[in-house]
Amino acid sequence: GLNLTGEYSGQTKTKVEEQLDKAKGGVLFIDEAYELGKGQFGVEACSALVAAMTDPRYAGLVIIMAGYQADISSMLDTNLGLKSRFEHFLEFPDWEPNDCVDGFRTRAATGGYTLQSGIVDILEWGFAKLASLKGWGNARDVEQIWKSTLQNRADRVVDLLVGGDKLLTEADVRSALEARIGARES
């Protein structure tokens, strides 16, 4: 990912300017931008961005900051100069558990996988449980569950010495969900 903060005083401004120079005439996309509001070097990164936003060298450059709404708001509140320079805010609602089930099913269909009957019920239960826990990542959770399910399937296929099996079983999905839920609950 894009790292705008340095490890010693003065390095952050240089790192920010390097990224701004690379993005000149285009878009600088900063994901998980709320990290910029944390610590001395995060404060330095915010100050460097404010300075760049008024620098004619970067005219026409679009800066997009992405992250969870509450975290971005808190970060922007730490630097009013930065906050005042952002004019457009787009809010994307979190996925609901049924959206996550649809995302999982779409991945399976795209990959040519068959879902064993009962998997949708397990996914609905699992994503509802994950949504109720701290750290709900919606699409990120779908990605993690998908990868874990494929790993569980691969382990099962190797264990059975059966090649070419594209069936995802209830056990594959349940194990992936339980591992993710267990990690969140601990």
Side-chain angles (χ1 to χ4, degrees):
L2 181 62
N3 184 1
L4 293 179
T5 58
E7 296 173 12
Y8 54 84
S9 188
Q11 183 185 27
T12 295
K13 183 177 185 222
T14 302
K15 286 183 114 178
V16 169
E17 288 177 349
E18 285 172 2
Q19 294 301 322
L20 289 164
D21 287 338
K22 285 181 188 176
K24 216 184 268 188
V27 175
L28 176 63
F29 181 82
I30 307 169
D31 197 10
E32 297 183 11
Y34 46 82
E35 294 293 332
L36 292 178
K38 298 179 180 174
Q40 171 193 348
F41 302 120
V43 171
E44 286 182 25
C46 287
S47 295
L49 283 171
V50 170
M53 293 171 125
T54 58
D55 188 329
R57 291 181 299 162
Y58 302 112
L61 172 66
V62 175
I63 298 175
I64 298 174
M65 293 185 160
Y68 294 108
Q69 180 188 4
D71 296 330
I72 291 289
S73 292
S74 294
M75 183 274 296
L76 289 174
D77 286 342
T78 67
N79 188 311
L80 297 179
L82 187 59
K83 185 176 187 174
S84 68
R85 284 172 175 80
F86 280 92
E87 299 175 4
H88 303 287
F89 295 87
L90 299 174
E91 201 175 320
F92 298 96
D94 286 344
W95 281 11
E96 296 295 327
N98 62 321
D99 297 319
C100 294
V101 172
D102 290 344
F104 187 97
R105 292 173 78 174
T106 298
R107 287 177 179 273
T110 300
Y113 291 93
T114 303
L115 300 181
Q116 190 177 50
S117 67
I119 284 182
V120 171
D121 292 337
I122 293 168
L123 288 169
E124 288 171 350
W125 165 82
F127 286 123
K129 177 71 175 174
L130 284 168
S132 72
L133 299 173
K134 185 176 176 165
W136 169 237
N138 49 76
R140 187 178 327 126
D141 282 318
V142 172
E143 177 69 17
Q144 183 60 45
I145 298 304
W146 175 251
K147 287 179 179 177
S148 294
T149 298
L150 290 183
Q151 184 60 54
N152 293 338
R153 181 204 145 271
D155 293 345
R156 178 178 46 79
V157 169
V158 168
D159 287 346
L160 295 175
L161 299 173
V162 177
D165 179 2
K166 298 280 275 196
L167 175 68
L168 299 177
T169 68
E170 288 184 40
D172 296 335
V173 173
R174 185 180 302 280
S175 177
L177 282 164
E178 287 173 351
R180 188 75 173 168
I181 290 167
R184 286 278 172 68
E185 288 181 326
S186 58

